[in-house]
């Protein structure tokens, strides 16, 4: 076992037993990072914050489709 694993050995069961994971937090973090890359070139930080809040809110916003 590596030094880090030995040091964190008591923490591993405490993380696994309740069935909780940090997957949701990691997903939001990844979504924010991707949004920041998309928003490169925005002139105002408020526009970036608004875009992050919109993408992380869970709203399904679709562009109007033309009717034929």
């Amino acid at each position: 076992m590596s030094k880090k694993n030995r040091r964190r050995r008591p923490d591993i069961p405490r993380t696994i037993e309740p069935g909780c994971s940090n997957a949701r937090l990691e997903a939001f973090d990844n979504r924010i990072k991707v949004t920041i890359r998309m928003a490169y070139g925005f002139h105002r930080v408020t526009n970036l914050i608004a875009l992050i809040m919109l993408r992380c809110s869970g709203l399904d916003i679709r562009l109007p489709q033309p009717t034929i």
Side-chain angles (χ1 to χ4, degrees):
M1 257 187 163
S2 70
K3 198 184 243 186
K4 189 173 190 176
N5 287 344
R6 270 187 252 129
R7 188 177 68 219
R8 292 292 183 186
R9 183 175 232 158
D11 297 333
I12 294 171
R14 283 188 289 203
T15 304
I16 296 171
E17 285 173 7
C20 298
S21 73
N22 66 342
R24 187 172 288 185
L25 180 64
E26 291 290 333
F28 271 109
D29 185 43
N30 187 33
R31 186 174 283 179
I32 289 171
K33 286 180 183 179
V34 169
T35 305
I36 288 172
R37 274 188 253 133
M38 278 178 32
Y40 183 75
F42 277 13
H43 293 287
R44 302 189 190 285
V45 176
T46 54
N47 294 342
L48 171 63
I49 293 170
L51 182 61
I52 290 172
M53 291 175 70
L54 182 64
R55 291 206 54 202
C56 293
S57 69
L59 291 175
D60 187 26
I61 299 174
R62 297 179 188 267
L63 293 174
Q65 299 293 323
T67 56
I68 299 175

Short mmCIF file of all heavy atoms in Angstrom, two decimals:
data_model
loop_
_atom_site.label_atom_id
_atom_site.label_comp_id
_atom_site.label_asym_id
_atom_site.label_seq_id
_atom_site.Cartn_x
_atom_site.Cartn_y
_atom_site.Cartn_z
N MET A 1 0.84 -1.19 0.00
CA MET A 1 0.00 0.00 0.00
C MET A 1 0.87 1.24 0.00
O MET A 1 1.89 1.30 0.65
CB MET A 1 -0.86 0.03 1.25
CG MET A 1 -2.27 -0.36 1.04
SD MET A 1 -3.16 -0.08 2.56
CE MET A 1 -4.74 -0.12 1.88
N SER A 2 0.43 2.22 -0.70
CA SER A 2 1.21 3.44 -0.73
C SER A 2 0.99 4.25 0.54
O SER A 2 0.08 3.97 1.33
CB SER A 2 0.83 4.27 -1.96
OG SER A 2 -0.47 4.79 -1.80
N LYS A 3 1.82 5.21 0.73
CA LYS A 3 1.75 6.04 1.93
C LYS A 3 0.41 6.77 2.04
O LYS A 3 -0.19 6.83 3.10
CB LYS A 3 2.90 7.04 1.86
CG LYS A 3 3.23 7.68 3.17
CD LYS A 3 4.31 8.73 2.98
CE LYS A 3 5.56 8.38 3.71
NZ LYS A 3 6.55 9.45 3.64
N LYS A 4 -0.08 7.28 0.91
CA LYS A 4 -1.34 8.03 0.91
C LYS A 4 -2.52 7.10 1.25
O LYS A 4 -3.41 7.48 1.99
CB LYS A 4 -1.57 8.69 -0.45
CG LYS A 4 -2.71 9.64 -0.46
CD LYS A 4 -2.77 10.38 -1.77
CE LYS A 4 -3.76 11.50 -1.72
NZ LYS A 4 -3.78 12.27 -2.93
N ASN A 5 -2.51 5.88 0.70
CA ASN A 5 -3.59 4.94 0.99
C ASN A 5 -3.60 4.55 2.47
O ASN A 5 -4.67 4.41 3.06
CB ASN A 5 -3.46 3.68 0.13
CG ASN A 5 -3.83 3.96 -1.30
OD1 ASN A 5 -4.45 4.96 -1.61
ND2 ASN A 5 -3.43 3.07 -2.18
N ARG A 6 -2.43 4.36 3.05
CA ARG A 6 -2.37 4.03 4.47
C ARG A 6 -2.90 5.17 5.32
O ARG A 6 -3.59 4.95 6.31
CB ARG A 6 -0.94 3.71 4.87
CG ARG A 6 -0.62 2.24 4.72
CD ARG A 6 0.73 1.90 5.27
NE ARG A 6 1.57 1.65 4.09
CZ ARG A 6 2.74 2.19 3.88
NH1 ARG A 6 3.25 3.03 4.74
NH2 ARG A 6 3.43 1.92 2.80
N ARG A 7 -2.58 6.38 4.93
CA ARG A 7 -3.02 7.54 5.69
C ARG A 7 -4.53 7.73 5.60
O ARG A 7 -5.18 8.13 6.56
CB ARG A 7 -2.31 8.79 5.17
CG ARG A 7 -2.56 10.01 6.02
CD ARG A 7 -1.79 11.20 5.53
NE ARG A 7 -2.32 11.63 4.25
CZ ARG A 7 -1.60 12.07 3.23
NH1 ARG A 7 -0.30 12.13 3.31
NH2 ARG A 7 -2.17 12.45 2.11
N ARG A 8 -5.12 7.39 4.43
CA ARG A 8 -6.56 7.58 4.22
C ARG A 8 -7.39 6.33 4.47
O ARG A 8 -8.58 6.31 4.20
CB ARG A 8 -6.79 8.05 2.77
CG ARG A 8 -6.27 9.43 2.50
CD ARG A 8 -7.08 10.42 3.26
NE ARG A 8 -6.64 11.75 2.97
CZ ARG A 8 -7.10 12.82 3.58
NH1 ARG A 8 -8.01 12.69 4.50
NH2 ARG A 8 -6.66 14.00 3.28
N ARG A 9 -6.78 5.27 4.98
CA ARG A 9 -7.49 4.01 5.18
C ARG A 9 -8.78 4.16 6.00
O ARG A 9 -9.80 3.59 5.62
CB ARG A 9 -6.56 3.00 5.83
CG ARG A 9 -7.21 1.67 6.00
CD ARG A 9 -6.25 0.65 6.53
NE ARG A 9 -6.33 -0.48 5.63
CZ ARG A 9 -5.42 -1.37 5.48
NH1 ARG A 9 -4.31 -1.29 6.16
NH2 ARG A 9 -5.58 -2.37 4.65
N PRO A 10 -8.83 4.91 7.11
CA PRO A 10 -10.09 5.05 7.86
C PRO A 10 -11.16 5.83 7.08
O PRO A 10 -12.36 5.64 7.32
CB PRO A 10 -9.69 5.82 9.12
CG PRO A 10 -8.22 5.80 9.18
CD PRO A 10 -7.71 5.54 7.81
N ASP A 11 -10.76 6.68 6.16
CA ASP A 11 -11.72 7.49 5.42
C ASP A 11 -12.47 6.69 4.35
O ASP A 11 -13.59 7.04 3.99
CB ASP A 11 -11.03 8.68 4.74
CG ASP A 11 -10.41 9.62 5.76
OD1 ASP A 11 -10.92 9.66 6.90
OD2 ASP A 11 -9.45 10.31 5.41
N ILE A 12 -11.86 5.63 3.84
CA ILE A 12 -12.46 4.87 2.74
C ILE A 12 -13.79 4.25 3.14
O ILE A 12 -14.80 4.45 2.46
CB ILE A 12 -11.46 3.85 2.18
CG1 ILE A 12 -10.29 4.58 1.53
CG2 ILE A 12 -12.13 2.92 1.17
CD1 ILE A 12 -9.13 3.70 1.14
N PRO A 13 -13.90 3.50 4.25
CA PRO A 13 -15.22 2.94 4.62
C PRO A 13 -16.25 4.01 4.93
O PRO A 13 -17.44 3.83 4.65
CB PRO A 13 -14.92 2.10 5.86
CG PRO A 13 -13.46 1.85 5.85
CD PRO A 13 -12.85 3.00 5.11
N ARG A 14 -15.82 5.13 5.51
CA ARG A 14 -16.77 6.20 5.82
C ARG A 14 -17.37 6.80 4.56
O ARG A 14 -18.48 7.31 4.56
CB ARG A 14 -16.09 7.30 6.64
CG ARG A 14 -15.92 6.91 8.08
CD ARG A 14 -15.44 8.09 8.87
NE ARG A 14 -14.05 8.35 8.48
CZ ARG A 14 -13.17 8.99 9.23
NH1 ARG A 14 -13.54 9.46 10.38
NH2 ARG A 14 -11.95 9.18 8.83
N THR A 15 -16.64 6.75 3.47
CA THR A 15 -17.14 7.27 2.20
C THR A 15 -18.06 6.27 1.52
O THR A 15 -19.08 6.64 0.95
CB THR A 15 -15.96 7.60 1.27
OG1 THR A 15 -15.08 8.49 1.94
CG2 THR A 15 -16.44 8.23 -0.01
N ILE A 16 -17.73 5.00 1.59
CA ILE A 16 -18.48 3.98 0.88
C ILE A 16 -19.76 3.58 1.61
O ILE A 16 -20.80 3.36 0.98
CB ILE A 16 -17.58 2.74 0.65
CG1 ILE A 16 -16.42 3.13 -0.26
CG2 ILE A 16 -18.36 1.60 0.04
CD1 ILE A 16 -15.36 2.07 -0.39
N GLU A 17 -19.75 3.48 2.94
CA GLU A 17 -20.89 2.98 3.71
C GLU A 17 -22.19 3.74 3.48
O GLU A 17 -23.21 3.12 3.23
CB GLU A 17 -20.54 2.94 5.20
CG GLU A 17 -19.62 1.80 5.56
CD GLU A 17 -19.15 1.88 6.98
OE1 GLU A 17 -19.64 2.73 7.74
OE2 GLU A 17 -18.27 1.06 7.35
N PRO A 18 -22.22 5.07 3.55
CA PRO A 18 -23.50 5.77 3.36
C PRO A 18 -24.02 5.69 1.92
O PRO A 18 -25.16 6.00 1.66
CB PRO A 18 -23.22 7.22 3.73
CG PRO A 18 -21.86 7.25 4.32
CD PRO A 18 -21.17 6.00 3.95
N GLY A 19 -23.20 5.27 0.99
CA GLY A 19 -23.62 5.19 -0.40
C GLY A 19 -23.56 6.53 -1.12
O GLY A 19 -24.12 6.69 -2.19
N CYS A 20 -22.90 7.49 -0.53
CA CYS A 20 -22.78 8.81 -1.14
C CYS A 20 -21.52 8.86 -2.00
O CYS A 20 -20.54 8.19 -1.72
CB CYS A 20 -22.69 9.90 -0.07
SG CYS A 20 -24.14 10.01 0.95
N SER A 21 -21.59 9.64 -3.03
CA SER A 21 -20.39 9.85 -3.83
C SER A 21 -20.34 11.32 -4.22
O SER A 21 -21.31 12.06 -4.06
CB SER A 21 -20.38 8.97 -5.07
OG SER A 21 -21.30 9.46 -6.01
N ASN A 22 -19.22 11.71 -4.77
CA ASN A 22 -19.08 13.09 -5.18
C ASN A 22 -19.30 13.22 -6.68
O ASN A 22 -18.86 14.18 -7.30
CB ASN A 22 -17.73 13.65 -4.76
CG ASN A 22 -16.58 12.97 -5.46
OD1 ASN A 22 -16.73 11.89 -6.02
ND2 ASN A 22 -15.44 13.61 -5.44
N ALA A 23 -19.98 12.26 -7.29
CA ALA A 23 -20.19 12.27 -8.74
C ALA A 23 -20.98 13.50 -9.18
O ALA A 23 -20.68 14.12 -10.20
CB ALA A 23 -20.90 11.01 -9.18
N ARG A 24 -22.00 13.86 -8.43
CA ARG A 24 -22.82 15.01 -8.80
C ARG A 24 -21.99 16.30 -8.74
O ARG A 24 -22.08 17.14 -9.63
CB ARG A 24 -24.03 15.12 -7.89
CG ARG A 24 -25.00 16.19 -8.32
CD ARG A 24 -26.25 16.14 -7.53
NE ARG A 24 -26.99 14.96 -7.95
CZ ARG A 24 -28.19 14.64 -7.52
NH1 ARG A 24 -28.78 15.39 -6.63
NH2 ARG A 24 -28.79 13.57 -7.95
N LEU A 25 -21.18 16.43 -7.72
CA LEU A 25 -20.32 17.60 -7.59
C LEU A 25 -19.30 17.65 -8.72
O LEU A 25 -19.06 18.71 -9.31
CB LEU A 25 -19.60 17.57 -6.24
CG LEU A 25 -18.65 18.73 -5.95
CD1 LEU A 25 -19.42 20.03 -5.88
CD2 LEU A 25 -17.90 18.47 -4.68
N GLU A 26 -18.72 16.49 -9.06
CA GLU A 26 -17.76 16.44 -10.16
C GLU A 26 -18.43 16.79 -11.49
O GLU A 26 -17.82 17.43 -12.34
CB GLU A 26 -17.13 15.05 -10.25
CG GLU A 26 -16.22 14.72 -9.09
CD GLU A 26 -14.94 15.53 -9.09
OE1 GLU A 26 -14.49 15.94 -10.18
OE2 GLU A 26 -14.40 15.76 -8.01
N ALA A 27 -19.67 16.36 -11.67
CA ALA A 27 -20.39 16.67 -12.91
C ALA A 27 -20.63 18.17 -13.04
O ALA A 27 -20.45 18.74 -14.12
CB ALA A 27 -21.72 15.92 -12.95
N PHE A 28 -21.03 18.82 -11.95
CA PHE A 28 -21.23 20.27 -11.99
C PHE A 28 -19.91 20.99 -12.25
O PHE A 28 -19.87 21.95 -13.01
CB PHE A 28 -21.85 20.78 -10.69
CG PHE A 28 -23.33 20.77 -10.71
CD1 PHE A 28 -24.04 19.86 -9.93
CD2 PHE A 28 -24.04 21.65 -11.50
CE1 PHE A 28 -25.41 19.83 -9.95
CE2 PHE A 28 -25.42 21.63 -11.53
CZ PHE A 28 -26.11 20.72 -10.75
N ASP A 29 -18.85 20.51 -11.62
CA ASP A 29 -17.54 21.12 -11.81
C ASP A 29 -17.12 21.02 -13.28
O ASP A 29 -16.64 21.99 -13.86
CB ASP A 29 -16.51 20.45 -10.91
CG ASP A 29 -15.17 21.14 -10.98
OD1 ASP A 29 -15.13 22.38 -10.97
OD2 ASP A 29 -14.15 20.42 -11.04
N ASN A 30 -17.33 19.86 -13.87
CA ASN A 30 -16.98 19.67 -15.27
C ASN A 30 -17.84 20.56 -16.17
O ASN A 30 -17.34 21.17 -17.12
CB ASN A 30 -17.15 18.21 -15.67
CG ASN A 30 -16.64 17.94 -17.05
OD1 ASN A 30 -15.67 18.56 -17.49
ND2 ASN A 30 -17.28 17.03 -17.75
N ARG A 31 -19.13 20.66 -15.85
CA ARG A 31 -20.03 21.50 -16.66
C ARG A 31 -19.60 22.97 -16.60
O ARG A 31 -19.63 23.68 -17.60
CB ARG A 31 -21.46 21.35 -16.17
CG ARG A 31 -22.45 22.08 -17.03
CD ARG A 31 -23.84 21.79 -16.61
NE ARG A 31 -24.21 20.48 -17.09
CZ ARG A 31 -25.37 19.92 -16.86
NH1 ARG A 31 -26.27 20.52 -16.13
NH2 ARG A 31 -25.65 18.73 -17.34
N ILE A 32 -19.17 23.42 -15.43
CA ILE A 32 -18.72 24.81 -15.28
C ILE A 32 -17.43 25.03 -16.07
O ILE A 32 -17.28 26.04 -16.77
CB ILE A 32 -18.53 25.16 -13.79
CG1 ILE A 32 -19.90 25.26 -13.11
CG2 ILE A 32 -17.77 26.46 -13.62
CD1 ILE A 32 -19.84 25.39 -11.61
N LYS A 33 -16.50 24.07 -16.01
CA LYS A 33 -15.25 24.21 -16.76
C LYS A 33 -15.49 24.27 -18.26
O LYS A 33 -14.89 25.07 -18.97
CB LYS A 33 -14.31 23.05 -16.44
CG LYS A 33 -13.69 23.14 -15.07
CD LYS A 33 -12.78 21.96 -14.84
CE LYS A 33 -12.19 22.00 -13.44
NZ LYS A 33 -11.33 20.86 -13.19
N VAL A 34 -16.40 23.43 -18.76
CA VAL A 34 -16.72 23.42 -20.18
C VAL A 34 -17.38 24.73 -20.57
O VAL A 34 -17.10 25.30 -21.63
CB VAL A 34 -17.62 22.22 -20.53
CG1 VAL A 34 -18.19 22.34 -21.93
CG2 VAL A 34 -16.84 20.93 -20.39
N THR A 35 -18.25 25.26 -19.71
CA THR A 35 -18.93 26.53 -20.00
C THR A 35 -17.93 27.67 -20.05
O THR A 35 -18.04 28.55 -20.90
CB THR A 35 -20.00 26.81 -18.93
OG1 THR A 35 -20.89 25.70 -18.86
CG2 THR A 35 -20.79 28.05 -19.26
N ILE A 36 -16.95 27.66 -19.17
CA ILE A 36 -15.93 28.72 -19.17
C ILE A 36 -15.14 28.66 -20.48
O ILE A 36 -14.84 29.69 -21.07
CB ILE A 36 -15.02 28.58 -17.94
CG1 ILE A 36 -15.79 28.99 -16.69
CG2 ILE A 36 -13.77 29.43 -18.09
CD1 ILE A 36 -15.06 28.71 -15.39
N ARG A 37 -14.84 27.44 -20.95
CA ARG A 37 -14.14 27.33 -22.24
C ARG A 37 -15.01 27.83 -23.38
O ARG A 37 -14.52 28.44 -24.33
CB ARG A 37 -13.73 25.88 -22.49
CG ARG A 37 -12.41 25.57 -21.85
CD ARG A 37 -11.92 24.21 -22.25
NE ARG A 37 -12.07 23.35 -21.09
CZ ARG A 37 -12.60 22.14 -21.09
NH1 ARG A 37 -13.01 21.60 -22.21
NH2 ARG A 37 -12.69 21.45 -20.00
N MET A 38 -16.32 27.55 -23.31
CA MET A 38 -17.24 28.01 -24.35
C MET A 38 -17.34 29.53 -24.37
O MET A 38 -17.50 30.14 -25.43
CB MET A 38 -18.67 27.48 -24.10
CG MET A 38 -18.90 26.09 -24.58
SD MET A 38 -20.56 25.51 -24.18
CE MET A 38 -21.54 26.95 -24.25
N ALA A 39 -17.28 30.13 -23.19
CA ALA A 39 -17.52 31.57 -23.06
C ALA A 39 -16.25 32.39 -23.24
O ALA A 39 -16.26 33.59 -22.93
CB ALA A 39 -18.14 31.84 -21.69
N TYR A 40 -15.19 31.80 -23.73
CA TYR A 40 -13.96 32.54 -23.94
C TYR A 40 -14.23 33.70 -24.90
O TYR A 40 -14.81 33.51 -25.97
CB TYR A 40 -12.88 31.64 -24.52
CG TYR A 40 -11.56 32.34 -24.70
CD1 TYR A 40 -10.76 32.63 -23.62
CD2 TYR A 40 -11.14 32.74 -25.96
CE1 TYR A 40 -9.56 33.27 -23.77
CE2 TYR A 40 -9.94 33.39 -26.13
CZ TYR A 40 -9.16 33.65 -25.03
OH TYR A 40 -7.97 34.31 -25.19
N GLY A 41 -13.88 34.90 -24.51
CA GLY A 41 -14.11 36.06 -25.35
C GLY A 41 -15.26 36.93 -24.87
O GLY A 41 -15.48 38.00 -25.42
N PHE A 42 -16.01 36.45 -23.86
CA PHE A 42 -17.07 37.31 -23.32
C PHE A 42 -16.41 38.56 -22.74
O PHE A 42 -15.35 38.51 -22.15
CB PHE A 42 -17.83 36.59 -22.20
CG PHE A 42 -18.91 35.67 -22.70
CD1 PHE A 42 -19.01 35.30 -24.02
CD2 PHE A 42 -19.85 35.17 -21.82
CE1 PHE A 42 -20.00 34.45 -24.47
CE2 PHE A 42 -20.85 34.32 -22.25
CZ PHE A 42 -20.92 33.96 -23.57
N HIS A 43 -17.07 39.68 -22.92
CA HIS A 43 -16.49 40.94 -22.43
C HIS A 43 -16.80 41.18 -20.96
O HIS A 43 -16.08 41.90 -20.28
CB HIS A 43 -17.01 42.11 -23.26
CG HIS A 43 -16.51 42.07 -24.68
ND1 HIS A 43 -15.21 42.37 -25.01
CD2 HIS A 43 -17.13 41.74 -25.83
CE1 HIS A 43 -15.05 42.24 -26.32
NE2 HIS A 43 -16.20 41.85 -26.85
N ARG A 44 -17.87 40.61 -20.46
CA ARG A 44 -18.28 40.85 -19.08
C ARG A 44 -18.41 39.54 -18.31
O ARG A 44 -18.91 38.55 -18.83
CB ARG A 44 -19.62 41.57 -19.04
CG ARG A 44 -19.59 42.89 -19.78
CD ARG A 44 -20.86 43.68 -19.52
NE ARG A 44 -20.96 44.82 -20.40
CZ ARG A 44 -20.27 45.94 -20.29
NH1 ARG A 44 -19.42 46.07 -19.31
NH2 ARG A 44 -20.43 46.93 -21.14
N VAL A 45 -17.96 39.57 -17.06
CA VAL A 45 -18.04 38.39 -16.21
C VAL A 45 -19.49 38.06 -15.89
O VAL A 45 -19.83 36.89 -15.74
CB VAL A 45 -17.23 38.63 -14.91
CG1 VAL A 45 -17.38 37.47 -13.96
CG2 VAL A 45 -15.77 38.85 -15.24
N THR A 46 -20.34 39.07 -15.82
CA THR A 46 -21.75 38.81 -15.51
C THR A 46 -22.39 37.94 -16.58
O THR A 46 -23.25 37.11 -16.27
CB THR A 46 -22.53 40.12 -15.35
OG1 THR A 46 -22.34 40.92 -16.52
CG2 THR A 46 -22.08 40.89 -14.14
N ASN A 47 -21.98 38.10 -17.83
CA ASN A 47 -22.51 37.24 -18.89
C ASN A 47 -22.07 35.80 -18.69
O ASN A 47 -22.85 34.87 -18.92
CB ASN A 47 -22.05 37.73 -20.26
CG ASN A 47 -22.63 39.08 -20.61
OD1 ASN A 47 -23.61 39.51 -20.02
ND2 ASN A 47 -22.02 39.74 -21.57
N LEU A 48 -20.83 35.59 -18.27
CA LEU A 48 -20.34 34.25 -18.00
C LEU A 48 -21.11 33.62 -16.83
O LEU A 48 -21.53 32.46 -16.91
CB LEU A 48 -18.85 34.29 -17.68
CG LEU A 48 -18.24 32.98 -17.18
CD1 LEU A 48 -18.34 31.89 -18.24
CD2 LEU A 48 -16.81 33.20 -16.75
N ILE A 49 -21.32 34.38 -15.77
CA ILE A 49 -22.05 33.86 -14.62
C ILE A 49 -23.47 33.51 -15.01
O ILE A 49 -24.00 32.47 -14.59
CB ILE A 49 -22.00 34.88 -13.46
CG1 ILE A 49 -20.56 35.00 -12.94
CG2 ILE A 49 -22.94 34.48 -12.34
CD1 ILE A 49 -20.33 36.13 -11.98
N ALA A 50 -24.11 34.35 -15.81
CA ALA A 50 -25.47 34.06 -16.26
C ALA A 50 -25.51 32.78 -17.10
O ALA A 50 -26.43 31.96 -16.95
CB ALA A 50 -26.02 35.24 -17.05
N LEU A 51 -24.51 32.58 -17.96
CA LEU A 51 -24.47 31.37 -18.78
C LEU A 51 -24.26 30.13 -17.91
O LEU A 51 -24.90 29.10 -18.12
CB LEU A 51 -23.35 31.48 -19.82
CG LEU A 51 -23.21 30.32 -20.79
CD1 LEU A 51 -24.48 30.16 -21.62
CD2 LEU A 51 -22.01 30.54 -21.70
N ILE A 52 -23.40 30.21 -16.92
CA ILE A 52 -23.18 29.08 -16.01
C ILE A 52 -24.46 28.77 -15.24
O ILE A 52 -24.85 27.61 -15.11
CB ILE A 52 -22.01 29.37 -15.05
CG1 ILE A 52 -20.69 29.36 -15.80
CG2 ILE A 52 -21.98 28.37 -13.91
CD1 ILE A 52 -19.50 29.82 -15.00
N MET A 53 -25.13 29.78 -14.74
CA MET A 53 -26.37 29.55 -14.00
C MET A 53 -27.44 28.94 -14.90
O MET A 53 -28.20 28.06 -14.47
CB MET A 53 -26.86 30.85 -13.37
CG MET A 53 -25.96 31.33 -12.25
SD MET A 53 -26.41 32.91 -11.58
CE MET A 53 -27.92 32.52 -10.75
N LEU A 54 -27.49 29.36 -16.14
CA LEU A 54 -28.46 28.81 -17.07
C LEU A 54 -28.16 27.35 -17.39
O LEU A 54 -29.05 26.50 -17.39
CB LEU A 54 -28.47 29.64 -18.35
CG LEU A 54 -29.47 29.24 -19.42
CD1 LEU A 54 -30.89 29.42 -18.91
CD2 LEU A 54 -29.26 30.07 -20.67
N ARG A 55 -26.89 27.04 -17.63
CA ARG A 55 -26.53 25.65 -17.98
C ARG A 55 -26.66 24.72 -16.80
O ARG A 55 -26.95 23.54 -16.97
CB ARG A 55 -25.10 25.61 -18.51
CG ARG A 55 -25.00 26.28 -19.85
CD ARG A 55 -23.88 25.79 -20.68
NE ARG A 55 -23.92 24.35 -20.86
CZ ARG A 55 -22.86 23.63 -21.19
NH1 ARG A 55 -21.71 24.22 -21.37
NH2 ARG A 55 -22.94 22.33 -21.33
N CYS A 56 -26.43 25.19 -15.58
CA CYS A 56 -26.49 24.33 -14.40
C CYS A 56 -27.87 24.28 -13.76
O CYS A 56 -28.08 23.55 -12.80
CB CYS A 56 -25.46 24.77 -13.37
SG CYS A 56 -23.77 24.53 -13.92
N SER A 57 -28.81 25.03 -14.28
CA SER A 57 -30.14 25.09 -13.66
C SER A 57 -30.99 23.88 -14.00
O SER A 57 -31.95 23.58 -13.31
CB SER A 57 -30.87 26.36 -14.09
OG SER A 57 -31.21 26.28 -15.46
N GLY A 58 -30.69 23.19 -15.08
CA GLY A 58 -31.48 22.02 -15.45
C GLY A 58 -32.64 22.35 -16.37
O GLY A 58 -33.41 21.47 -16.73
N LEU A 59 -32.78 23.61 -16.75
CA LEU A 59 -33.86 23.97 -17.67
C LEU A 59 -33.53 23.45 -19.06
O LEU A 59 -32.39 23.49 -19.50
CB LEU A 59 -34.02 25.50 -17.73
CG LEU A 59 -34.55 26.18 -16.50
CD1 LEU A 59 -34.53 27.69 -16.70
CD2 LEU A 59 -35.97 25.72 -16.21
N ASP A 60 -34.54 22.98 -19.74
CA ASP A 60 -34.35 22.48 -21.10
C ASP A 60 -34.86 23.55 -22.06
O ASP A 60 -36.05 23.62 -22.35
CB ASP A 60 -35.09 21.17 -21.29
CG ASP A 60 -34.79 20.54 -22.63
OD1 ASP A 60 -33.70 20.82 -23.17
OD2 ASP A 60 -35.64 19.78 -23.12
N ILE A 61 -33.96 24.40 -22.52
CA ILE A 61 -34.33 25.50 -23.39
C ILE A 61 -33.95 25.12 -24.81
O ILE A 61 -32.79 24.83 -25.11
CB ILE A 61 -33.64 26.80 -22.98
CG1 ILE A 61 -34.06 27.17 -21.57
CG2 ILE A 61 -33.95 27.92 -23.96
CD1 ILE A 61 -33.34 28.35 -21.01
N ARG A 62 -34.93 25.09 -25.69
CA ARG A 62 -34.68 24.73 -27.08
C ARG A 62 -35.00 25.93 -27.97
O ARG A 62 -35.90 26.71 -27.68
CB ARG A 62 -35.54 23.56 -27.49
CG ARG A 62 -35.22 22.31 -26.70
CD ARG A 62 -36.12 21.17 -27.13
NE ARG A 62 -35.96 20.04 -26.26
CZ ARG A 62 -35.13 19.03 -26.47
NH1 ARG A 62 -34.37 19.04 -27.54
NH2 ARG A 62 -35.04 18.04 -25.64
N LEU A 63 -34.28 26.02 -29.06
CA LEU A 63 -34.55 27.07 -30.03
C LEU A 63 -35.82 26.72 -30.78
O LEU A 63 -36.14 25.54 -31.00
CB LEU A 63 -33.38 27.19 -31.01
CG LEU A 63 -32.08 27.69 -30.41
CD1 LEU A 63 -30.97 27.61 -31.45
CD2 LEU A 63 -32.21 29.08 -29.88
N PRO A 64 -36.57 27.73 -31.19
CA PRO A 64 -37.80 27.43 -31.94
C PRO A 64 -37.47 26.77 -33.28
O PRO A 64 -36.52 27.15 -33.96
CB PRO A 64 -38.44 28.80 -32.14
CG PRO A 64 -37.42 29.80 -31.77
CD PRO A 64 -36.37 29.15 -30.95
N GLN A 65 -38.26 25.78 -33.62
CA GLN A 65 -38.08 25.05 -34.87
C GLN A 65 -39.01 25.61 -35.93
O GLN A 65 -40.18 25.88 -35.64
CB GLN A 65 -38.37 23.56 -34.68
CG GLN A 65 -37.46 22.88 -33.67
CD GLN A 65 -36.03 22.83 -34.18
OE1 GLN A 65 -35.79 22.65 -35.36
NE2 GLN A 65 -35.08 23.00 -33.26
N PRO A 66 -38.52 25.80 -37.12
CA PRO A 66 -39.41 26.32 -38.18
C PRO A 66 -40.45 25.25 -38.57
O PRO A 66 -40.14 24.06 -38.62
CB PRO A 66 -38.46 26.59 -39.35
CG PRO A 66 -37.26 25.75 -39.07
CD PRO A 66 -37.18 25.59 -37.60
N THR A 67 -41.67 25.70 -38.80
CA THR A 67 -42.71 24.77 -39.23
C THR A 67 -42.76 24.76 -40.74
O THR A 67 -42.68 25.79 -41.40
CB THR A 67 -44.07 25.20 -38.66
OG1 THR A 67 -44.33 26.54 -39.06
CG2 THR A 67 -44.09 25.11 -37.16
N ILE A 68 -42.87 23.59 -41.27
CA ILE A 68 -42.89 23.45 -42.74
C ILE A 68 -44.28 23.08 -43.20
O ILE A 68 -45.00 22.36 -42.65
CB ILE A 68 -41.86 22.38 -43.21
CG1 ILE A 68 -40.48 22.82 -42.80
CG2 ILE A 68 -41.97 22.14 -44.68
CD1 ILE A 68 -39.40 21.83 -43.09
#
